[in-house]
Amino acid sequence: MSAALRTAGLSKRFGGLSAVSDVSLEIPQGARHALIGPNGAGKTTLINLLTGVLEPSAGDVFLGGERITALPQHLRVKKGLTRTFQINTLFPGLTVLESVVLAILERKGLAARWMRPVSSHRAEIGEATELLATFKLDRDAQRRTAELAYGRQRLVEIALALATRPKILLLDEPAAGIPSSESVEVLGVIAALPADVTVLFIEHDMGLVFRFAERITVLVAGRVLMEGTPEEVARNDEVKAVYLGREAHG
Amino acid sequence: MSALRGGRLIEVAFWLVPLAAFLLLPGYLMLGSQILIVALFALSLDLILGYAGIVSLGHAAFFGLGAYAAGLLAAKGWGEPLSGLLAGGVIAALAGFVASFLVVRGEDLARLMVTLGIGLLLYEAANRAAFLTGGVDGLSGVAMGKIFGVFAFDIGGKTAYLYSFAVLLLVFIFLKRLTSSPFGLSLRGIRENPARMPAIGSPVRARLVTAYTIGAAIAGIAGALLAQTTQFVGLDSLGFNRSAELLIMLVLGGTGRLYGAIVGAAVFMIAQDYLSGVNPVYWQFWLGLLLVVFVFFARGGILGAVEAAAKRLGRSSQERAR
């Protein structure tokens, strides 16, 4: 069986700078895979290449065996490849409920319709309400997203992605900017996802990475330094030197 | 539930105002028709700016196209009003569809420049094509037939007023439906964050092309209405001034609410009529002052201020009840 998500020789140059060089990954279905590396290692650029925000300079992206290198962003989402953003990328003026209902309407292909008001789409509103309840966001459903505290907005960020019912979920530092007590909660929701959903996540907090990841890819200066189980990564001297060492020096 | 019914009641009352004006102010029907037509024009901008978030400084291009289309039809002997209105809308929609591909790309500044450019292009084209449009002299000889073959346009402007009112109300009902639909929600999503929309699977460009085309069509219908009710089309119908004034009206009334477009158009037109009567040379001074005050002290325009006041009132009455 082909991998859920695969890249072959993926590269991205910005002018003279190689942000991502020759990255070949293979993520099997249902994986809980972490992508780590120091700042500027090209992690977010890689996510942007996988999701179609950026066009690669070279290489290909495959989704379940299908080459999607040239597919626009929104069509990749339709195929089940969804991401979240490192910095909250939400709809500040929409209510939390409206935002999630919008994502559900898009998934169901109903968002271009204009004959019936949104308020009469009871199934979609019901689904959104249920989803918000799993994030304990139900009491904020009717509030404008901008009115929520950053940590609560972080949950909306992930709820929006889940509303698309992803087969593969790419999480760009899901716990960034929230206290560690709450970050466990955020990752807990992700850990509770159905086992067949593939999760690839970027995270700086090593505690979270070692807790949730089954496999880890270490990216340094745009290249894959190594890939392995958390134990293998923890034991690797190169990783210690380049990544953990730097972390220790702070 | 009662709040909903209260809202309905206010809406009905709102639409009774122009009808009351028709009965009580027969001397102002010409101005009244102009207000209704400009309100329709402002609604078209509200769809693309207030909902979809596309800034435009050249929206008069579509207004003018619709005006010339309907005016030329009538001047060449096809004076049936409703088909003329339709023609104005269709021509403007076609132009809007083509232009949308230029407008939809790019950021706000690029959009401002592209829309401005399209407006200037059309203005000069109409100026040059004097054999067709009458150039600076304007297009005259617009002879209108009767609406439904029954209601002739009269000197007093009664037919023109009711005709404009009916078209405004119908388009408003259409827009109300459109903006409260999933499509309308997706436009608001694009306005709020165009970067997130593709990440939830939304084809942003296609949605914006649709919205821009509909906005252009409605602007064209408004232009056609003006041509038919004044039986004249001037170059100014395409001009930059008209685009800029339109933007002022919409911001003044409040964007993204539909009613803001109508209120803004009415307040602007009435203020213009009154202030230019008081001082024909310097009236724009007061207009400028009004605009600055509103942008600084009432972010959502007149309707935004009303909404905020109503919210405060509701909260204090709730507290009293407690």
Side-chain angles (χ1 to χ4, degrees), chain A residues 113-184:
Chain A
R113 302 212 175 165
W114 63 275
M115 284 301 287
R116 280 168 57 210
V118 174
S119 56
S120 75
H121 288 72
R122 301 216 179 271
E124 289 74 23
I125 294 172
E127 187 190 327
T129 309
E130 260 172 55
L131 181 61
L132 288 175
T134 64
F135 285 91
K136 300 193 180 68
L137 277 168
D138 25 356
R139 66 187 160 90
D140 292 322
Q142 300 295 343
R143 294 174 70 194
R144 291 173 65 236
T145 307
E147 294 171 12
L148 270 58
Y150 193 88
R152 311 280 299 164
Q153 288 189 13
R154 209 70 198 128
L155 295 174
V156 178
E157 177 73 41
I158 294 160
L160 275 182
L162 291 188
T164 69
R165 294 227 176 122
K167 293 193 192 93
I168 301 171
L169 185 57
L170 309 179
L171 300 158
D172 195 349
E173 295 195 39
I178 56 176
S180 55
S181 57
E182 287 176 39
S183 64
V184 174

Side-chain angles (χ1 to χ4, degrees), chain A residues 234-246:
Chain A
R235 274 201 310 269
N236 188 290
D237 289 334
E238 260 185 304
V239 174
K240 276 185 203 160
V242 168
Y243 187 77
L244 300 175
R246 187 182 296 201

Side-chain angles (χ1 to χ4, degrees), chain A residues 73-74 77-78 82 85 89-94 98 102 105-106 110-118 121 157 160-161, chain B residues 174 177-178 180-186 188-204 207 311:
Chain A
Q73 263 188 88
H74 69 275
V77 175
K78 290 259 180 270
T82 304
F85 293 79
T89 303
L90 304 169
F91 307 112
L94 301 189
E98 280 176 329
L102 176 56
L105 288 166
E106 291 286 1
L110 302 174
R113 302 212 175 165
W114 63 275
M115 284 301 287
R116 280 168 57 210
V118 174
H121 288 72
E157 177 73 41
L160 275 182
Chain B
F174 165 73
R177 184 159 265 232
L178 190 74
S180 58
S181 72
F183 177 74
L185 179 60
S186 76
R188 286 165 61 213
I190 294 169
R191 177 194 71 200
E192 291 294 322
N193 199 335
R196 185 63 192 240
M197 285 301 277
I200 59 168
S202 181
V204 170
R207 294 279 157 73
K311 213 180 228 177

